[in-house]
Amino acid sequence: MNTFGNIFRLTTFGESHGAAIGGVVDGMPPGIDIDMDFIQAELARRRPGQSRLTTARKEADQVELLSGVFEGKSTGQPIGFIVRNENQHSQDYENLRDVFRPSHADYTYWTKYGIRDHRGGGRSSARETIARVVGGALAKLVLRQLGIRVTAWTQQVGPIACDRDYTQLDLSQIEQNDVRCPDPVKAQQMADLILQVKADGDTIGGVIAGVIEGCPAGLGEPAFGKLHAMLGAAMLSINAVKGFEYGDGFAMAERRGSEVKDEFMAESPAPGDACDAAMRHTAASLSLATRTNHSGGIQGGISNGQPIPFRVAFKPVATLLMPQQTFDIHGNPVTINPRGRHDPCVLPRAVPIVEAMGAMVVLDAHLQHLACRA
Amino acid sequence: MNTFGNIFRLTTFGESHGAAIGGVVDGMPPGIDIDMDFIQAELARRRPGQSRLTTARKEADQVELLSGVFEGKSTGQPIGFIVRNENQHSQDYENLRDVFRPSHADYTYWTKYGIRDHRGGGRSSARETIARVVGGALAKLVLRQLGIRVTAWTQQVGPIACDRDYTQLDLSQIEQNDVRCPDPVKAQQMADLILQVKADGDTIGGVIAGVIEGCPAGLGEPAFGKLHAMLGAAMLSINAVKGFEYGDGFAMAERRGSEVKDEFMAESPAPGDACDAAMRHTAASLSLATRTNHSGGIQGGISNGQPIPFRVAFKPVATLLMPQQTFDIHGNPVTINPRGRHDPCVLPRAVPIVEAMGAMVVLDAHLQHLACRA
Amino acid sequence: MNTFGNIFRLTTFGESHGAAIGGVVDGMPPGIDIDMDFIQAELARRRPGQSRLTTARKEADQVELLSGVFEGKSTGQPIGFIVRNENQHSQDYENLRDVFRPSHADYTYWTKYGIRDHRGGGRSSARETIARVVGGALAKLVLRQLGIRVTAWTQQVGPIACDRDYTQLDLSQIEQNDVRCPDPVKAQQMADLILQVKADGDTIGGVIAGVIEGCPAGLGEPAFGKLHAMLGAAMLSINAVKGFEYGDGFAMAERRGSEVKDEFMAESPAPGDACDAAMRHTAASLSLATRTNHSGGIQGGISNGQPIPFRVAFKPVATLLMPQQTFDIHGNPVTINPRGRHDPCVLPRAVPIVEAMGAMVVLDAHLQHLACRA
Amino acid sequence: MNTFGNIFRLTTFGESHGAAIGGVVDGMPPGIDIDMDFIQAELARRRPGQSRLTTARKEADQVELLSGVFEGKSTGQPIGFIVRNENQHSQDYENLRDVFRPSHADYTYWTKYGIRDHRGGGRSSARETIARVVGGALAKLVLRQLGIRVTAWTQQVGPIACDRDYTQLDLSQIEQNDVRCPDPVKAQQMADLILQVKADGDTIGGVIAGVIEGCPAGLGEPAFGKLHAMLGAAMLSINAVKGFEYGDGFAMAERRGSEVKDEFMAESPAPGDACDAAMRHTAASLSLATRTNHSGGIQGGISNGQPIPFRVAFKPVATLLMPQQTFDIHGNPVTINPRGRHDPCVLPRAVPIVEAMGAMVVLDAHLQHLACRA
């Protein structure tokens, strides 16, 4: 399905070479100032052609909000929006019309639907994430008022990793380089690697790290709606993602309980500074912080008020600018030699997408939480 | 929310020390033979007290199906079921009534709801997963007819890992030891470690690996309903899970596209052997296999017919049988020294839970797929 | 599907002659006193054998809550519950095993599922509504705190109608007679008619009227989630219901706009007495009442603070105690002559079911409303 | 919420005086010929200014499909679409900015959201139904292949009613007059009445009748997803609707069971001509018709293969071109004297909207049914 979320819901549509990418945000709280410059700036962070590290496809990616806003404020009604596609080179794909590219979704779409738009990956193109960035930007406008921040950065490109975590990094440096890594030395190494890979006609994978800060205790649902399960589903739904972990993640598999327990420490002033709206709905008469945060800010699926760090693994893009053997829809072997404009590494452009998905998950959890008490 | 799935839906209820754990399976296809012995055997794999590696709590975990079955066959109507709780020692928890145990959900439930059942973890107890195993067993009865198998095993306990993957292991050996690791040498090492940890009053984490075999091409939905996103959400909703990856997972972050592309090879006889029901709904006139499976059987969120391997990281259980500092609901510091019957390592008992969630995801995707073509 | 509602959700299961009828209420607000006597009293209003006007089937209909309640209060966790079936006479149905009774669901279930539990109507039996009454009783416990009341009564049985509406009736008289009609003269006429119909082995239809009072302005969603659309869906999902109208309903089709406009009048003290919880979420700085209420308390799908009157049409029960021609599953003509214990008129027992569905709709709308503002 | 349906889902957005009305259809089956002329013709049936009986607002209501269609066929991907608003006269509403018009949604939106777009009714305008007509047209393109037809007509305007039902009328005459009543004599009387009402600055209500033909047995879900409950919810979500009934509807309340039982008669050739796709999923080895159809083609919430007749009551439009007393948002009494372009009677233009909602419900039920058997 093409809808995400429970209360704050994003529905997306659009193909890479169709008329437009767009979507509908339902459940947007009313009375929020709609900062169009901010929304467009978020799209600019995801836009192709923004640096020499990305595809050369040039798209303005100008968004038009079609509804749900009145005199600059949200009205609580659904916000429909579109971004016209402009710089398609559909003819680049004509020779791929009947061919299944390896490690692409060509074969699976064809098997599922018996028909597919082969141009630029059609619906499976990462251009779909434009709609997510718009949805995420709207969510961020609400979260801003609640004091909640979702921040992501490129933590690893191929074997080059920035091992320091959010407590040790200056996150204000993320946007200071094209890679979106807050460690300038690592960022330079990553950029060099990406350019080398690009020169080889190859691609490279990586990891994006993120952290949710200012999240009040109490968000998330027990059982199947655990906050990190929603977060994981959100991240895994992004193109090219192969893994998700939060808190100490996979590393916790090697640890003893005594090593990773997060002990409480009393917090001075009681509830409410961070998020009055949420606090209205809790019976909490005190607020406790933890000394450590191995758990990643969530216990039993519900936030505990600590930061929520997470990591998302991306595979290398499947489009390689080199000859490859494959088959066409008639079962005949063919050799393809893709040309065109492709990202050697999606990480830098995926940073705002990860943030967008995270922002929508947290806002949705917040709104759901408001409905859990009469 | 306490409901999982879209067409095949499981709703669960119940607390650790309440009257019963139970649930409702909605969307069960009609005409399926309901093999009660199989369902009960699946519960036995999850049951406490099954070996010296687990908690000593003794529960028969006898399930009663209350509806939706007529003369041994499913009718397509909802299957309600309950498992009575019998061996609670609620008094063991009386001194924890007002106390927040570190790294447990005590504090977060209390913050969210203003009230909690403190006995045995209440709703946050892993006893809730009984209902998942029942739901998964019902799903497996359907998948069996479709030729789809979901298999999981203990791959890692603490630092002891079985590095061979599903292509190199004899999965029929999984149930031959208490740890549920198909490698008997590693299984013995893992068991020894668990017993050592237990003797220390400590706990240990680990990784469960799984693989879905016989899954036809075409399952899963683009955008937000990607098959691996649903699988990830399912796994992350299991108690104590901290991470999920599929295919080559996080390791793919370090690789180049040219190293991990999965080339097709023609498959001899065309569609349909695996799953006629699904095939009815595809326009596929041929079927292609891949030489390698770095992608993990899914492209663009849709299965390609190859096996789907995945890994799930579990943290060490939070209940430690040693003194710990914490706070009560009045903000007063207290020292707790938990006694009782706890698992030093959840991995062996979590294997059937992972399989159950996987089975429900795949069956749900199959049923959804049937509805995607008129 | 067997789940109703968005935030406050009821899932039901069970057949007439199966082990039990039951359900799960998810989204119950925490901290609510669970008045078991009240819940059981609601079931008693629906119970068979309660008067000479109903079926003679004797059922205690004793409900057991299995979870979600701790020390007498709701915890916010799902409330599983069951009511055991006790007084089945399944042998009465043995000769109907392969027969399609006219105007019953026998044929449609068989066509849809290829299998059916023929005993007592199986899943299509009105015994399923037991679970609705339990769900409605839990909803009423919450609504009571919010000052919202849902009241229903038998307005019409066959041609005998009580034409006065809620403004002209003493609703406290509803439970003073077996028919549940607040007009004692009409009630007597209705009872006489039902007994006559029963003596004839026949059945008779009717209309239940209801009114929601104390509902604050602002509940309901625009477009597809209109409050009256949810209410209508709820009522139409009750067995034997053929029509729904609210406000002036079908009579409005004959009227001019100038005749049915509801003009406002200023209301003295401004917001909030009725429902502070809802009011927390409105920006309303004043509150207006209307002089008339042709619209039925809802404008554009959203409540306006006035009472919400509605009517629900019931067909006569399909089970007739007289010989009838029909066919079996092999296409052979057969004559059936049903015996057994059946209601000549469902109206008296359907009154609490209508109230239950109404209560769940309003509570769900209230909880949804809480989530519409950040 | 602004999404309708389970598998075939329509999400809508847009205000009367905003940039555009639009929506997203998700779950459109692939491979369907997208007949743009048909879609546009359906919009023309709903378009303002189509005859002297409707509002004079002139709108081309030209729809643009933005995605989900490739080389003239649906791809199974979401179809985003927009219809630009062109002929707004927003200044006509400036004096109503702070005023609550009687029997409109002005007050309820303001109470719920604290902000509203007052221009032309904003989101509560019936212009939202443009998106429903597009969604319904797409559904009809699929139903056409399945042999299912949904037809509606104006049955009553004020006191003038066409009492003959679908078995007695020539439905091909519906589009032969501006009122959309298949009885030409009644149509003329209705038209005369509407013009009289219009001259008075008043409005008038009415009833639209509809029938679903060619619907195979087996569609609809027991319990809460009954086919008529979904149909009722769909109709009640249309602006100005006050009631819904199907089969003999409210008239059944007056009848005895023996009078309205629908006896079966054997049908000659067994399953499948109408709808092979559905039949693939039934175990039905024979097919039975009924002699009468009091039940309205549905038993126990599931279709039985007979036509499904229904009726929908519309109130008179609330906008009167005459002076009225009311209040503004400050609680001050004001007199309004609306001018502008309004429908004296919505019935003629609502016919395609009723058909659209009916078509989406039936297609959704069909697709859901495909998923009920493995």
Side-chain angles (χ1 to χ4, degrees):
Chain A
M1 293 297 167
N2 296 281
T3 297
F4 182 80
N6 292 287
I7 305 287
F8 184 91
R9 288 152 68 104
L10 172 69
T11 301
T12 74
F13 63 82
E15 288 87 29
S16 178
H17 290 225
I21 300 290
V24 186
V25 167
D26 202 357
M28 180 74 181
I32 306 292
D33 286 317
I34 302 302
D35 181 342
M36 287 304 299
D37 291 340
F38 174 73
I39 299 171
Q40 199 60 55
E42 288 290 278
L43 283 171
R45 295 173 71 206
R46 190 218 147 270
R47 196 163 55 83
Q50 63 184 266
S51 82
R52 64 206 171 123
L53 302 181
T54 73
T55 169
R57 181 170 168 167
K58 294 285 184 197
E59 290 277 3
D61 286 351
Q62 190 77 31
V63 67
E64 181 186 11
L65 304 194
L66 298 165
S67 64
V69 181
F70 180 61
E71 300 182 341
K73 287 186 188 295
S74 63
T75 61
Q77 306 312 311
I79 300 179
F81 61 88
I82 56 172
V83 171
R84 296 271 174 188
N85 292 321
E86 294 173 344
N87 191 234
Q88 308 103 308
H89 291 182
S90 300
Q91 68 283 9
D92 285 0
Y93 293 88
E94 192 53 35
N95 60 332
L96 296 175
R97 173 185 281 268
D98 290 340
V99 174
F100 303 130
R101 294 170 297 168
S103 289
H104 277 85
D106 299 347
Y107 174 72
T108 57
Y109 270 64
W110 181 79
T111 302
K112 186 174 188 72
Y113 299 108
I115 181 175
R116 71 185 177 91
D117 181 347
H118 67 281
R119 302 166 304 166
R123 179 65 178 157
S124 72
S125 164
R127 264 192 86 68
E128 182 261 352
T129 58
I130 286 175
R132 303 180 184 218
V133 170
V134 174
L138 289 166
K140 283 182 176 181
L141 291 174
V142 186
L143 292 182
R144 188 189 282 181
Q145 296 196 2
L146 300 170
I148 302 173
R149 295 176 307 284
V150 181
T151 313
W153 63 95
T154 300
Q155 190 196 46
Q156 182 180 335
V157 172
I160 303 168
C162 166
D163 289 328
R164 291 181 291 159
D165 74 9
Y166 72 98
T167 63
Q168 302 160 314
L169 289 165
D170 177 0
L171 302 184
S172 71
Q173 296 303 302
I174 294 170
E175 296 296 318
Q176 300 309 308
N177 57 69
D178 293 342
V179 182
R180 296 200 163 87
C181 174
D183 178 326
V185 175
K186 294 287 185 181
Q188 186 58 52
Q189 295 172 5
M190 291 172 180
D192 291 346
L193 175 59
I194 293 171
L195 291 175
Q196 178 60 51
V197 162
K198 185 180 181 182
D200 297 344
D202 211 338
T203 60
I204 187 87
V207 174
I208 289 180
V211 63
I212 303 167
E213 297 170 291
C215 183
L219 304 197
E221 304 289 326
F224 305 111
K226 289 186 167 79
L227 185 54
H228 57 268
M230 296 299 98
L231 202 56
M235 298 307 160
L236 288 159
S237 78
I238 299 173
N239 306 48
V241 170
K242 306 301 286 188
F244 169 83
E245 61 180 5
Y246 82 106
D248 284 2
F250 274 89
M252 252 178 155
E254 301 191 17
R255 310 294 291 277
R256 287 186 169 215
S258 57
E259 296 172 308
V260 295
K261 69 173 189 289
D262 294 318
E263 292 193 345
F264 289 105
M265 55 183 184
E267 204 164 72
S268 23
D273 54 323
C275 182
D276 276 344
M279 281 301 169
R280 275 205 312 267
H281 286 269
T282 72
S285 52
L286 91 166
S287 169
L288 296 171
T290 58
R291 293 182 196 284
T292 52
N293 190 19
H294 300 288
S295 300
I298 299 174
Q299 301 288 14
I302 303 169
S303 63
N304 68 2
Q306 300 306 303
I308 301 169
F310 59 90
R311 294 173 78 242
V312 186
F314 287 77
K315 71 171 184 178
V317 179
T319 303
L320 310 176
L321 302 186
M322 52 181 74
Q324 294 157 76
Q325 300 299 320
T326 191
F327 292 84
D328 67 15
I329 63 172
H330 310 295
N332 300 319
V334 290
T335 300
I336 59 170
N337 192 359
R339 296 173 307 134
R341 306 159 303 171
H342 298 283
D343 285 285
C345 178
V346 296
L347 279 284
R349 292 177 57 204
V351 164
I353 302 167
V354 165
E355 288 183 4
M357 294 307 295
M360 289 191 285
V361 166
V362 176
L363 177 56
D364 194 34
H366 168 71
L367 296 173
Q368 277 192 277
H369 178 60
L370 294 178
C372 91
R373 299 177 73 91
Chain B
M1 292 297 168
N2 296 281
T3 297
F4 181 80
N6 292 287
I7 305 285
F8 184 90
R9 288 152 67 103
L10 172 69
T11 301
T12 73
F13 62 83
E15 289 87 30
S16 178
H17 290 224
I21 299 290
V24 186
V25 166
D26 203 357
M28 180 73 181
I32 306 292
D33 287 316
I34 302 302
D35 181 342
M36 287 304 300
D37 291 340
F38 175 73
I39 299 171
Q40 199 61 54
E42 288 291 277
L43 283 170
R45 294 173 72 205
R46 188 218 151 271
R47 196 163 55 82
Q50 63 182 264
S51 81
R52 65 208 167 121
L53 302 181
T54 73
T55 168
R57 179 169 169 168
K58 295 284 185 196
E59 291 276 4
D61 286 352
Q62 190 76 32
V63 66
E64 182 186 11
L65 304 195
L66 298 165
S67 64
V69 181
F70 179 62
E71 300 182 342
K73 287 186 187 294
S74 63
T75 61
Q77 306 312 311
I79 300 179
F81 61 88
I82 57 172
V83 171
R84 295 273 174 188
N85 292 321
E86 294 172 345
N87 191 235
Q88 309 101 308
H89 291 182
S90 299
Q91 68 282 10
D92 285 0
Y93 293 88
E94 192 52 36
N95 60 331
L96 295 175
R97 174 184 281 267
D98 291 339
V99 174
F100 303 128
R101 292 169 298 167
S103 289
H104 277 85
D106 300 347
Y107 174 72
T108 57
Y109 269 64
W110 181 79
T111 301
K112 185 174 188 72
Y113 299 109
I115 181 175
R116 70 186 177 92
D117 180 348
H118 67 282
R119 302 167 303 166
R123 179 66 178 157
S124 73
S125 164
R127 263 191 88 68
E128 182 261 352
T129 58
I130 286 176
R132 302 181 185 217
V133 171
V134 175
L138 290 166
K140 283 183 176 182
L141 291 174
V142 186
L143 293 182
R144 186 188 283 181
Q145 297 196 1
L146 300 170
I148 302 173
R149 296 176 307 284
V150 181
T151 313
W153 62 95
T154 300
Q155 190 194 47
Q156 181 179 335
V157 172
I160 303 168
C162 166
D163 289 329
R164 291 181 291 159
D165 74 8
Y166 71 99
T167 63
Q168 302 159 314
L169 287 166
D170 177 1
L171 302 184
S172 71
Q173 297 302 305
I174 294 170
E175 295 296 318
Q176 300 308 310
N177 58 69
D178 293 342
V179 181
R180 295 199 163 86
C181 174
D183 178 327
V185 176
K186 293 288 186 182
Q188 186 59 51
Q189 294 172 5
M190 291 172 180
D192 292 345
L193 175 59
I194 293 171
L195 290 175
Q196 177 59 52
V197 162
K198 186 180 181 182
D200 297 345
D202 211 338
T203 60
I204 187 86
V207 174
I208 289 180
V211 63
I212 303 167
E213 296 170 292
C215 183
L219 305 198
E221 305 289 326
F224 305 111
K226 290 185 167 80
L227 185 54
H228 56 269
M230 295 300 97
L231 203 57
M235 298 306 160
L236 289 159
S237 78
I238 299 173
N239 307 47
V241 171
K242 306 300 287 187
F244 169 84
E245 61 179 3
Y246 83 105
D248 284 1
F250 275 89
M252 253 178 154
E254 302 191 18
R255 310 294 290 279
R256 286 187 171 215
S258 56
E259 297 171 307
V260 296
K261 68 173 188 289
D262 294 318
E263 293 193 345
F264 290 104
M265 55 184 183
E267 204 164 71
S268 22
D273 54 323
C275 181
D276 276 344
M279 281 301 168
R280 275 205 312 268
H281 286 268
T282 72
S285 51
L286 92 167
S287 169
L288 297 171
T290 58
R291 292 181 197 284
T292 53
N293 189 20
H294 299 287
S295 300
I298 299 173
Q299 300 288 15
I302 302 169
S303 63
N304 67 2
Q306 300 307 302
I308 302 169
F310 59 90
R311 294 173 78 242
V312 185
F314 286 77
K315 71 170 185 178
V317 179
T319 303
L320 310 176
L321 301 186
M322 52 181 73
Q324 294 158 75
Q325 299 299 321
T326 190
F327 292 84
D328 67 15
I329 63 172
H330 309 295
N332 299 320
V334 291
T335 300
I336 58 171
N337 192 357
R339 294 172 309 132
R341 305 159 303 170
H342 297 284
D343 285 284
C345 178
V346 295
L347 279 283
R349 290 178 58 205
V351 164
I353 303 167
V354 165
E355 288 183 3
M357 295 307 295
M360 290 191 283
V361 166
V362 177
L363 177 56
D364 195 34
H366 168 72
L367 296 172
Q368 277 193 277
H369 179 60
L370 294 179
C372 92
R373 298 177 74 92
Chain C
M1 293 297 168
N2 296 281
T3 297
F4 181 80
N6 292 287
I7 306 286
F8 184 91
R9 289 154 66 105
L10 172 69
T11 301
T12 74
F13 62 84
E15 288 86 28
S16 179
H17 289 224
I21 300 290
V24 186
V25 167
D26 202 358
M28 180 73 182
I32 306 293
D33 287 317
I34 301 303
D35 181 341
M36 287 304 300
D37 292 340
F38 175 73
I39 298 170
Q40 200 60 54
E42 289 290 278
L43 283 171
R45 295 173 72 206
R46 190 219 149 269
R47 195 163 57 81
Q50 64 184 264
S51 82
R52 65 206 168 124
L53 301 181
T54 72
T55 169
R57 179 168 170 169
K58 294 286 184 197
E59 291 276 4
D61 286 353
Q62 191 75 32
V63 67
E64 182 187 11
L65 303 195
L66 298 166
S67 64
V69 182
F70 180 62
E71 300 183 342
K73 286 186 188 293
S74 63
T75 60
Q77 306 312 312
I79 300 179
F81 61 88
I82 56 172
V83 171
R84 296 271 173 189
N85 292 320
E86 293 173 344
N87 192 234
Q88 309 101 307
H89 291 181
S90 299
Q91 68 282 10
D92 285 1
Y93 293 88
E94 192 52 35
N95 60 332
L96 296 175
R97 173 185 280 268
D98 290 340
V99 175
F100 303 129
R101 293 169 296 166
S103 290
H104 276 85
D106 299 347
Y107 174 72
T108 57
Y109 270 63
W110 182 79
T111 302
K112 186 174 188 73
Y113 299 108
I115 182 175
R116 71 188 176 91
D117 180 347
H118 67 281
R119 302 166 304 166
R123 179 66 179 158
S124 72
S125 165
R127 264 192 85 69
E128 182 261 351
T129 58
I130 286 175
R132 303 180 184 217
V133 171
V134 174
L138 289 166
K140 282 182 176 181
L141 291 174
V142 186
L143 293 181
R144 189 189 281 179
Q145 295 196 2
L146 300 170
I148 303 173
R149 294 176 306 286
V150 181
T151 312
W153 62 95
T154 300
Q155 190 195 47
Q156 182 179 334
V157 173
I160 302 168
C162 166
D163 289 329
R164 290 181 292 160
D165 75 8
Y166 71 99
T167 63
Q168 302 160 316
L169 289 165
D170 177 0
L171 302 184
S172 71
Q173 296 303 301
I174 294 169
E175 296 296 318
Q176 300 309 307
N177 57 68
D178 292 342
V179 182
R180 294 199 165 87
C181 173
D183 178 327
V185 176
K186 294 288 185 180
Q188 186 59 53
Q189 294 173 5
M190 291 172 179
D192 293 344
L193 175 58
I194 293 171
L195 291 174
Q196 177 59 51
V197 163
K198 184 181 182 183
D200 296 345
D202 212 338
T203 60
I204 187 86
V207 174
I208 289 180
V211 63
I212 303 167
E213 297 171 292
C215 182
L219 305 198
E221 304 290 326
F224 304 111
K226 289 186 168 78
L227 185 55
H228 57 269
M230 295 299 97
L231 203 56
M235 298 306 160
L236 288 159
S237 79
I238 299 173
N239 306 46
V241 170
K242 306 301 285 187
F244 169 83
E245 61 179 5
Y246 83 104
D248 284 2
F250 275 87
M252 253 179 156
E254 302 190 16
R255 310 293 292 277
R256 286 185 169 217
S258 57
E259 296 171 309
V260 295
K261 69 173 189 287
D262 294 317
E263 292 193 345
F264 289 104
M265 54 185 184
E267 206 165 71
S268 22
D273 54 323
C275 182
D276 275 345
M279 280 302 168
R280 275 205 310 267
H281 285 269
T282 71
S285 51
L286 91 167
S287 169
L288 296 172
T290 59
R291 293 181 197 283
T292 53
N293 189 20
H294 300 287
S295 300
I298 299 173
Q299 300 288 14
I302 302 169
S303 64
N304 67 3
Q306 300 307 301
I308 301 169
F310 59 90
R311 293 173 77 243
V312 185
F314 286 76
K315 71 170 184 178
V317 179
T319 302
L320 310 176
L321 301 185
M322 52 182 73
Q324 293 158 76
Q325 299 300 320
T326 190
F327 291 84
D328 66 16
I329 63 171
H330 310 295
N332 300 320
V334 290
T335 300
I336 58 171
N337 192 0
R339 295 173 308 134
R341 306 159 302 171
H342 298 284
D343 285 284
C345 178
V346 296
L347 279 284
R349 291 177 56 204
V351 164
I353 302 167
V354 166
E355 288 183 4
M357 295 307 296
M360 289 191 284
V361 166
V362 177
L363 177 55
D364 194 34
H366 168 71
L367 295 173
Q368 278 192 275
H369 179 59
L370 294 178
C372 92
R373 299 177 73 92
Chain D
M1 292 296 168
N2 296 281
T3 298
F4 182 79
N6 292 287
I7 306 285
F8 184 91
R9 289 152 67 104
L10 172 69
T11 301
T12 75
F13 63 83
E15 288 87 28
S16 178
H17 290 224
I21 301 290
V24 186
V25 166
D26 202 358
M28 180 73 181
I32 307 292
D33 287 317
I34 302 302
D35 181 341
M36 287 303 299
D37 291 341
F38 175 73
I39 299 171
Q40 200 60 54
E42 288 290 278
L43 284 170
R45 294 173 72 207
R46 189 221 150 269
R47 195 163 56 82
Q50 64 183 264
S51 82
R52 64 206 169 122
L53 301 181
T54 72
T55 167
R57 180 169 169 169
K58 295 284 185 198
E59 290 277 4
D61 286 351
Q62 191 77 31
V63 66
E64 182 187 11
L65 304 194
L66 299 165
S67 64
V69 182
F70 179 63
E71 300 183 341
K73 287 186 188 294
S74 63
T75 61
Q77 306 312 311
I79 300 179
F81 61 87
I82 56 171
V83 171
R84 296 271 174 190
N85 292 321
E86 293 173 344
N87 191 235
Q88 309 101 307
H89 291 182
S90 299
Q91 69 284 9
D92 285 1
Y93 293 88
E94 192 52 36
N95 60 332
L96 295 175
R97 173 184 280 268
D98 291 339
V99 174
F100 303 129
R101 293 169 298 165
S103 290
H104 276 85
D106 299 347
Y107 174 72
T108 58
Y109 269 64
W110 181 79
T111 302
K112 186 174 188 72
Y113 298 108
I115 180 175
R116 71 187 177 91
D117 180 347
H118 68 281
R119 302 166 303 164
R123 178 67 179 157
S124 73
S125 164
R127 265 192 84 69
E128 182 262 350
T129 59
I130 286 175
R132 302 180 185 218
V133 171
V134 174
L138 289 166
K140 282 181 176 182
L141 291 174
V142 186
L143 293 181
R144 187 189 282 179
Q145 296 197 0
L146 300 170
I148 303 173
R149 296 176 307 284
V150 181
T151 313
W153 61 94
T154 300
Q155 189 194 48
Q156 182 179 334
V157 173
I160 303 168
C162 167
D163 289 329
R164 291 182 291 160
D165 74 9
Y166 72 100
T167 63
Q168 303 159 315
L169 288 166
D170 177 1
L171 301 184
S172 71
Q173 296 303 303
I174 294 170
E175 295 296 317
Q176 300 308 308
N177 57 69
D178 293 342
V179 182
R180 296 199 164 86
C181 173
D183 178 327
V185 176
K186 294 289 184 180
Q188 186 59 52
Q189 294 172 6
M190 291 172 180
D192 292 345
L193 176 58
I194 293 171
L195 291 175
Q196 178 59 50
V197 162
K198 185 181 183 182
D200 296 345
D202 212 338
T203 61
I204 188 87
V207 174
I208 289 179
V211 64
I212 303 167
E213 296 170 293
C215 182
L219 305 196
E221 305 289 326
F224 305 111
K226 289 186 167 78
L227 185 55
H228 57 269
M230 295 299 96
L231 203 56
M235 298 306 160
L236 289 159
S237 79
I238 300 173
N239 306 46
V241 170
K242 306 301 286 187
F244 169 83
E245 61 180 5
Y246 83 104
D248 284 2
F250 275 87
M252 252 177 156
E254 302 191 16
R255 310 292 291 279
R256 286 186 169 215
S258 56
E259 297 172 308
V260 296
K261 68 173 188 288
D262 293 319
E263 292 192 345
F264 289 104
M265 54 184 183
E267 205 164 72
S268 22
D273 54 321
C275 182
D276 276 344
M279 280 302 169
R280 275 205 311 266
H281 286 268
T282 72
S285 51
L286 90 168
S287 169
L288 297 171
T290 58
R291 292 181 197 284
T292 53
N293 189 19
H294 300 287
S295 300
I298 299 173
Q299 301 288 14
I302 302 169
S303 63
N304 67 3
Q306 300 307 300
I308 301 169
F310 60 89
R311 294 172 78 242
V312 185
F314 287 76
K315 71 170 184 179
V317 179
T319 302
L320 311 175
L321 302 186
M322 51 181 74
Q324 294 157 76
Q325 300 299 320
T326 191
F327 292 85
D328 66 15
I329 63 172
H330 310 294
N332 300 321
V334 291
T335 299
I336 59 172
N337 193 359
R339 295 173 308 131
R341 306 159 302 171
H342 298 283
D343 285 284
C345 177
V346 295
L347 279 283
R349 291 178 57 204
V351 164
I353 303 167
V354 166
E355 288 183 3
M357 296 306 296
M360 289 191 284
V361 166
V362 176
L363 178 55
D364 195 33
H366 167 71
L367 296 172
Q368 278 192 276
H369 178 60
L370 294 179
C372 91
R373 298 178 74 92

